Structures are given as structure tokens and as C-alpha cells.
């Protein structure tokens, strides 16, 4: 049965969403998003509706207002329970009211209660939030406008019911999305890409530091809208000082200037070339019934690449989970040809047969296993991120952060950014998102390179400021650094900031040690606040501090007197930024007579009778997909011919070498006769050299995917250098007929 989502009429027809308007303003690494939803109640009774929608997990909601007819109501931030009581009181007295609050289980899910929408009346809802832009593997900055809220699985025995959603086919989506973006940066903007059709990029000045872009006309908001923004000299460190709010008290967070520092540590090539040859690699794979059907083979291929790229001497294990969990080995085992083959056999047999998405129990089991001496634990988590206990999962990862690093991957539309980013942040790892037509393999292999990177230790940040200026750091301490990856620091500046000479400047120094080599990065910056910068940096700084305090409160619940919660509420109200303990409440106290007639509450039936759902997108009602299992189809369709690269990779031995056999000939597209004709008299190492030549000659565009296993192959050849010389085989002086085999002189 087809179930619609959003505000329903008395006949259970959706209240028309007349238009959706989204304006995006990007300033360097951060973005401000303004979404406007326009609805109309064509029924003859007043309505109450609840909308559930996704936002980026690190977003700071900072404005919410509603316009009913000619009356505009601006919401205030209040303590959550007080806001709920005020909302209920308003409805009971016939007043219009709106309540916007964050989900108790996940910070990237919000619900909007719309009370007493009068008959034949229009409603315009305006939501504003600010967010950081994540750095991608290719140095692009990713902005995602969530359109899909996938079902969030609630583990058995936990409080609350899981959210169930259904889908609205594209053909039934009765509206288009109006989306425009303005981008500005100290550095030139090289390009802007999207998973959706865009109008051409329009530069606003000659140095190309400002530009606008729009979605092409006719776009249906049936999937997440993703923008990738590329700057020239992307790794250049920057600092932005933002003036305080004139109406706020000096000495307070909103009254003082706030600085946002973006650092990109660059490690020396000699250090980066010393990849770790040890470690315990644990792969946790989602086999629930709620994942994208488009990526089953992609995840299996990715696990193949990962297993082939692991260094000899390490340990590994693979867990998979749904309503229950399984593991290939009872405990992590040493990496060898035998254990690798056994694991790959199990991977091929994986299906979508483990039910819901209960990630907490397998994580507890993994963390309960004793660590292996001199083998640092690296955890790779692949999931669609559809869980209802996000905060509980993140807290568990943080509790065990001293014993491992966590690398997380969100797969498919609607993956919870709060879960994926939160696990990586608290686990000292790196987060990646794979959506639409993205190739999973290069992103995963980048994370494996990060995992093999020597651990950065002794990290410290120091400030050198004029004597009349003091600094209060709002961000938690930096605990991990990766090559070329950004670290953001927010800090409050108190005192005579920018009031003296224009030349007044500050300096921030990042010190760390990598592979026994102490290093430091310095950034000098002007203390003069940027012109017309708004309050974006203040709000993001407040959000960062609020999230840290919320986690402290959860960790110490029952051991404190409530002081942390009170501090969060005070900071949330002062900054106008949402938190788990506050909500936005708007009541129209000027609408004269009370709205007459029974208030009709609209519920949306779902496939399970025990659940009730009210759903809309962050910027509109949108398509919701009940996915089959995260990465493995229940029924395996006929497979197309395998990618030659993956075919070649599958033939590599755990040691790094290849064997000369018909399968290798088929992988490189040659017949047995051609291979036989071109091989030298002594063939001990020839197959491995042949595979490397083919990779370099034909698959340079996918080098990110095979680079680590090629390094392993080269190490194997180096270890057999004596044998190679005795056979007269040299990589740089191969027989010409071998090179002619691939026509790559």
C-alpha cells in the first residue's frame, strides 16, 4: 500500500507543498542555509501536524520562524520541557504555535510541530542553520542538503519506537526545489560540482573568489542535493575573526569576537613513506534490512581491495551485523594466504539476512576483545547509518577511544551524518560518505592509508596574542591528525581585540610528533574582525561547545548536580543555537479570536501497526526509501562481466605476488598463447612484474585504489631481489616483447 508523507488532509491526501526555496551561502569552510517551506491547508478544519526531517549532524539551527497569512512569528529558544508545555498551553487555548526540537536519540533528526493551522490558510516556515563543510578525498568541500530520511532502527529493549517511513515515487512529487548558492573564499574557486544538474557557475569578480550557482530548472527533490566546492591552494591555512554581537554583553561568547582557525598539517614525504607494517584491522559491515540496494557488489569489491592491501604481519577480522551479529573468526587472526582466502570466501557468501540495524552489540563485543600487543587496533565501520540510538553508539566509541581508531563510512542516501561523523571524531579516525554514483573504493583506500600512517602524538595548540587579549578555546583538544586533512579550532577572544593598530595580529602554533620527528605548523593572522561576517563563526563555536558539554553530561549522568545541563541551556538560549536540552517555540499571541473547531491531528500509517510516523524533509516533504539490506541483495541478479582491475586484484597472493596462470592472462586481456610467447625463459617473478606493468599502463586513473597493493607487490619483489638478479629480470629493463605485449613503450 502506498503511504504518503507529511501533512495530510481529512481524506488523507497531502496538504499541498506549494514551493520549496533554499538559499546557501558558503564562506570558505562554513555554510549558512536558509530553507523556506510554503504549505496550504485546503481543508475546512484546523490541523495539527508533526514533521520529522534530517539535518547535517554538525549543523547549528539558529533561526526558526513561521508566517501564517500576514502574521509572522519568530521562535525563541527555551528549555525543552518548558517549550513543550508552552506549546500545549497555546493549542489548548486556540492559539497558533510551532515547536522545533532535536531528537533525543540523534542530533541530526528534528521534529517540527505545527499547531492549529486554520482552514484555507497558508503557512510559510523558515529554518536557518549553519554547518561546517567536510573535506573529501580529492580536497573538495562537501555540502549536503538532506532530502532522504531513512528508517531509523531502534534496538530491542530500548526506549521509544523506531521511525518507519515509506516512499513517494518521483512521479508523485508535486513540487520542484528552488536552490541557489553563493560561494566566497580568500582563494579562487576552481569549480563546483553536484550530483544534480546545475546551471553554469557565475563568477562575480575577476579574481574568481566569489561565485553563484543554481540548480537547473525542474529538479525534483527526490534525493540529497550534494555540492562539491573546489578552491585553488585548498591546503592553505586560514583564520577568520568575527566581531561579536553589538547587543550582547562584552565578556560573553556572543559579545566577544570569535576566531575560526583552519589548519592543514603537511607531513614530510620521508615520514609518509614509512607506512606501518602492523596493526589489528577489524571490519564491521552492515547486513541489516535497511540499506541501499545499489551498492552490494561495491562493498564486496571494497572488502576485496582492503584484504589484498593489508600488510603481511598484521591481524584482522570481519564482523557483520543486523538484528544479530556474526564474525568470520572467533578472534582476530594473523594475515596470511590461508586466512585471507577463508575471509574472501565468507565475504562472497554474505547476504541481506540479518534483520535490523543493531550496531551497539557488535561494537561492545569488539571492544571486549583484548588488544594484541604491538598491533594497534583500527576499526572500519560500513553502514547506512540508520539507527535510533546514535548518541549511545558515539558514547561507546568515545569510551574506548584510547584503544583504537575508528574509520566510518556512510553508504547511500540518508545515512546519518551524526552517526558517521560522530564515530570517526570520537574514535580518532576519519569519516567518508558514499552516495549516488560515487565509487566507494578510492574513499575507503584513502582511509586505509590514514590507518597505516604512523600515529601522531604529543599534539598541542598554543596562542601568541597581544597582552590585552586573552583566549578561551571552545573546541575540544585535537587528538588526531592526518596528512592533508583539515583541523578546525574555534576560540573566544576577550579584551581589546582589533581596537589598536591595524597591524595587530595573533599567532597560533600546532605542535606534534610523528614517527619520532617533532614538527610544528604556525599561522599568523590579523585580529581585525572581518567585515559583514555575520554570526556564523559564533554559532558554530557555540555549537561545538554545546556538543562537548552534552557528551560530558551523558558520560557523568547521575554523578553531577545538573550543572552541565544548566550551562548548556544557558549557552543555547544566549547564542540562539539548538541543543538536546532546548527547543524553538513560537506562539502567535496576536491572532485575536481562538481558532474554532476540533483540532485534527494527522498521523501517517506505516507498514508496522505499532509505529506512527509524521515525516517531511529538512527543506520539504521528500521521497523516503525503505531500503533492502545495506550492501547485500537478498536475491543475486545475473552479474555483468567483472571489472578487469578487480579481476587482477583478486588473483594477488597475500604476500603481494601474482602467479603465472591462465586466470592472470584473462585478467590482463591476453590469451594463453600470447602470454606463453612473450614470457622469458625464467619466470619466477615475471607474473608480478607483468601485473605491475599492466596497472601502471592501463589503470593510472584508479591508482588510489590499487596503490597500496602495488606497494606490497614491489616490497615482495625487493625481498626477492637476489632471485630476480639471478634470473636476469629487472623491472626497469624488461624484455621488449613483454612490454610489447601491452603496447606501452
Amino acid at each position: 500500500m502506498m503511504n504518503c508523507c507529511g501533512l495530510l488532509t481529512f481524506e488523507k491526501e497531502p496538504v499541498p507543498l506549494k514551493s520549496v526555496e533554499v538559499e546557501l551561502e558558503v564562506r570558505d569552510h562554513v555554510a549558512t542555509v536558509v530553507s523556506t517551506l510554503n504549505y496550504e491547508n485546503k481543508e475546512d478544519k484546523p490541523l495539527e501536524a508533526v514533521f520529522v526531517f534530517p539535518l547535517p549532524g554538525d549543523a547549528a539551527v539558529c533561526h526558526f520562524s513561521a508566517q501564517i497569512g500576514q502574521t509572522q512569528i519568530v521562535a525563541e529558544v527555551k528549555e525543552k520541557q518548558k517549550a513543550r508545555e508552552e506549546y500545549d498551553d497555546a493549542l489548548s487555548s486556540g492559539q497558533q504555535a510551532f515547536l522545533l526540537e532535536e531528537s533525543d536519540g540523534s542530533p541530526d533528526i528534528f521534529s517540527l510541530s505545527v499547531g492549529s493551522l486554520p482552514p484555507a490558510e497558508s503557512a510559510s516556515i523558515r529554518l536557518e542553520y549553519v554547518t561546517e563543510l567536510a573535506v573529501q578525498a580529492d580536497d573538495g568541500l562537501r555540502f549536503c542538503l538532506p532530502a532522504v530520511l531513512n528508517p531509523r532502527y531502534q534496538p530491542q529493549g530500548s526506549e521509544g519506537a523506531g521511525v518507519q517511513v515509506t516512499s513517494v515515487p518521483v512521479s508523485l512529487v508535486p513540487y520542484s526545489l528552488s536552490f541557489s548558492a553563493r560561494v566566497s573564499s580568500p582563494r579562487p574557486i576552481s569549480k563546483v560540482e553536484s550530483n544534480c544538474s546545475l546551471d553554469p557557475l557565475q563568477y562575480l569578480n575577476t579574481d574568481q573568489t566569489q561565485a553563484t550557482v543554481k540548480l537547473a530548472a525542474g529538479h525534483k527533490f527526490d534525493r540529497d542535493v550534494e555540492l562539491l566546492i573546489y578552491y585553488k591552494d585548498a591546503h592553505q591555512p586560514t583564520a577568520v575573526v568575527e566581531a561579536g554581537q553589538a547587543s550582547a554583553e562584552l565578556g560573553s561568547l556572543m559579545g566577544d569576537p570569535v576566531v575560526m582557525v583552519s589548519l592543514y598539517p603537511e607531513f614530510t614525504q620521508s615520514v609518509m613513506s614509512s607506512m606501518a607494517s602492523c596493526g589489528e584491522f577489524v571490519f564491521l559491515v552492515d547486513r541489516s534490512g535497511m540499506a541501499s540496494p545499489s551498492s552490494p557488489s561495491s562493498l564486496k569489491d571494497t572488502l576485496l581491495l582492503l584484504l589484498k592491501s593489508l600488510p603481511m604481519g598484521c591481524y584482522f577480522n570481519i564482523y557483520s551485523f543486523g538484528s544479530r551479529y556474526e564474525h568470520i573468526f572467533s578472534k582476530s587472526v594473523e594475515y596470511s594466504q590461508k586466512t585471507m582466502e577463508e575471509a574472501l570466501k565468507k565475504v562472497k557468501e554474505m547476504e541481506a539476512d540479518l534483520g535490523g540495524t543493531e550496531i551497539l552489540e557488535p561494537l561492545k563485543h569488539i571492544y571486549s576483545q583484548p588488544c594484541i600487543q604491538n598491533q594497534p587496533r583500527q576499526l572500519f565501520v560500513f553502514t547506512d547509518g540508520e539507527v535510533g540510538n546514535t548518541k549511545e553508539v558515539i558514547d561507546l566509541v568515545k569510551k574506548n577511544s584510547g584503544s583504537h581508531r575508528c574509520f566510518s563510512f556512510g553508504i547511500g542516501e540518508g545515512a546519518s551524518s551524526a552517526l558517521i561523523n560522530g564515530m570517526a571524531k570520537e574514535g580518532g579516525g576519519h569519516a567518508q560518505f558514499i552516495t549516488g554514483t560515487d565509487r566507494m573504493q578510492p574513499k575507503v583506500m584513502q582511509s586505509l592509508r590514514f590507518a597505516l600512517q604512523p600515529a601522531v602524538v604529543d599534539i598541542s595548540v598554543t596562542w601568541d596574542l597581544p597582552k590585552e587579549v586573552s583566549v578561551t578555546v571552545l573546541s575540544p583538544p585535537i587528538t588526531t591528525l592526518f596528512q592533508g586533512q583539515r583541523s578546525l579550532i574555534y576560540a573566544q577572544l576577550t579584551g581589546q581585540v582589533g581596537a589598536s593598530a591595524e597591524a595587530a595580529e595573533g599567532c597560533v602554533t600546532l605542535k606534534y610528533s610523528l614517527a619520532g620527528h617533532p614538527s610544528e605548523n604556525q599561522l599568523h593572522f590579523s585580529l581585525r574582525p572581518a567585515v559583514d561576517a555575520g554570526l556564523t563563526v559564533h554559532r558554530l563555536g557555540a555549537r561545538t561547545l554545546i556538543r562537548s558539554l552534552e557528551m560530558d553530561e551523558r558520560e557523568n549522568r547521575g554523578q553531577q548536580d545538573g550543572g552541565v545541563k544548566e550551562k548548556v541551556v544557558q549557552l543555547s538560549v544566549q547564542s540562539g543555537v539548538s541543543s538536546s536540552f532546548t527547543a524553538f517555540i513560537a506562539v502567535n499571541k496576536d491572532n485575536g479570536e481562538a481558532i474554532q473547531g476540533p483540532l485534527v491531528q494527522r498521523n501517517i500509517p506505516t507498514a508496522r501497526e505499532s509505529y506512527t510516523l509524521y515525516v517531511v524533509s529538512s527543506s520539504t516533504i521528500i521521497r523516503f526509501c525503505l531500503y533492502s539490506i545495506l550492501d547485500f541483495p537478498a536475491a543475486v541478479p545475473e552479474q555483468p562481466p567483472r571489472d578487469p582491475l578487480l579481476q587482477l586484484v583478486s588473483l594477488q597472493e597475500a604476500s603481494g605476488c601474482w602467479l603465472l596462470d591462465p586466470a592472470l592472462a584473462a585478467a590482463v586481456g591476453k590469451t594463453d598463447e600470447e602470454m606463453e610467447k612473450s614470457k622469458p625463459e625464467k619466470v619466477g617473478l615475471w607474473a608480478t612484474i607483468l601485473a605491475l606493468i599492466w596497472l601502471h599502463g592501463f589503470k593510472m586513473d584508479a591508482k588510489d585504489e590499487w596503490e597500496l597493493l602495488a606497494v606490497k607487490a614491489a616490497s615482495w619483489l625487493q625481498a626477492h631481489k637476489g632471485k630476480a638478479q639471478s634470473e636476469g629480470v629487472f623491472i626497469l629493463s624488461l624484455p621488449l616483447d613483454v612490454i610489447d605485449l601491452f603496447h606501452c613503450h
Side-chain angles (χ1 to χ4, degrees), residues 108 152 164 195 264 272 305 325 440-441 470 494 515 659 700 702 706 708:
D108 64 343
R152 296 296 174 97
Q164 292 291 315
N195 61 333
Y264 279 91
M272 290 308 299
L305 273 173
Y325 65 90
M440 186 186 304
Q441 289 87 346
S470 61
T494 303
L659 304 179
M700 284 302 292
W706 53 259
L708 287 177

Side-chain angles (χ1 to χ4, degrees), residues 102 253 391 395 398 425-426 472-477 540-557 560 562-575 577-581:
E102 177 185 308
L253 174 58
K391 292 179 181 178
D395 289 347
K398 182 179 181 180
K425 180 180 179 181
E426 300 303 335
T472 302
V473 179
L474 306 174
S475 305
L540 286 171
R543 187 285 323 269
T544 299
L545 183 55
I546 285 170
R547 290 288 183 246
S548 296
L549 291 171
E550 288 173 340
M551 182 160 284
D552 289 344
E553 195 277 337
R554 293 197 301 273
E555 287 181 347
N556 300 292
R557 189 164 292 170
Q560 298 177 338
V564 175
K565 179 179 178 180
E566 291 177 3
K567 189 173 181 179
V568 170
V569 171
Q570 182 182 12
L571 181 58
S572 178
V573 171
Q574 178 193 92
S575 63
V577 170
S578 60
S579 75
S580 60
F581 302 127

Side-chain angles (χ1 to χ4, degrees), residues 266-340:
E266 296 285 352
F267 306 147
T268 62
Q269 186 59 40
S270 60
V271 172
M272 290 308 299
S273 62
S274 60
M275 289 287 187
S277 58
C278 60
E280 179 195 8
F281 296 87
V282 180
F283 305 106
L284 179 59
V285 181
D286 191 337
R287 285 172 58 194
S288 68
M290 306 172 72
S292 168
S294 61
S295 54
S297 60
S298 180
L299 183 53
K300 290 185 179 183
D301 292 342
T302 299
L303 288 172
L304 167 67
L305 273 173
L306 282 169
L307 289 174
K308 293 291 184 175
S309 301
L310 292 179
M312 294 295 288
C314 75
Y315 286 71
F316 79 103
N317 202 352
I318 299 178
Y319 288 73
S320 56
F321 70 94
S323 300
R324 55 188 175 86
Y325 65 90
E326 299 176 351
H327 39 73
I328 292 180
F329 305 106
S330 59
K331 62 180 181 179
S332 294
V333 296
E334 187 171 359
Y335 179 72
S336 67
Q337 183 67 23
K338 179 182 178 182
T339 55
M340 182 192 73

Side-chain angles (χ1 to χ4, degrees), residues 327-382:
H327 39 73
I328 292 180
F329 305 106
S330 59
K331 62 180 181 179
S332 294
V333 296
E334 187 171 359
Y335 179 72
S336 67
Q337 183 67 23
K338 179 182 178 182
T339 55
M340 182 192 73
E341 288 179 348
E342 185 176 349
L344 286 173
K345 181 180 178 181
K346 294 289 187 180
V347 167
K348 289 180 181 179
E349 297 171 353
M350 287 182 175
E351 299 290 347
D353 53 3
L354 293 187
T357 313
E358 294 199 26
I359 192 173
L360 199 62
E361 291 307 313
L363 280 175
K364 288 179 179 178
H365 178 81
I366 290 169
Y367 293 142
S368 71
Q369 301 300 300
C371 292
I372 303 171
Q373 188 173 7
N374 299 322
Q375 302 285 348
R377 179 172 290 170
Q378 316 282 357
L379 175 62
F380 284 64
V381 180
F382 299 86

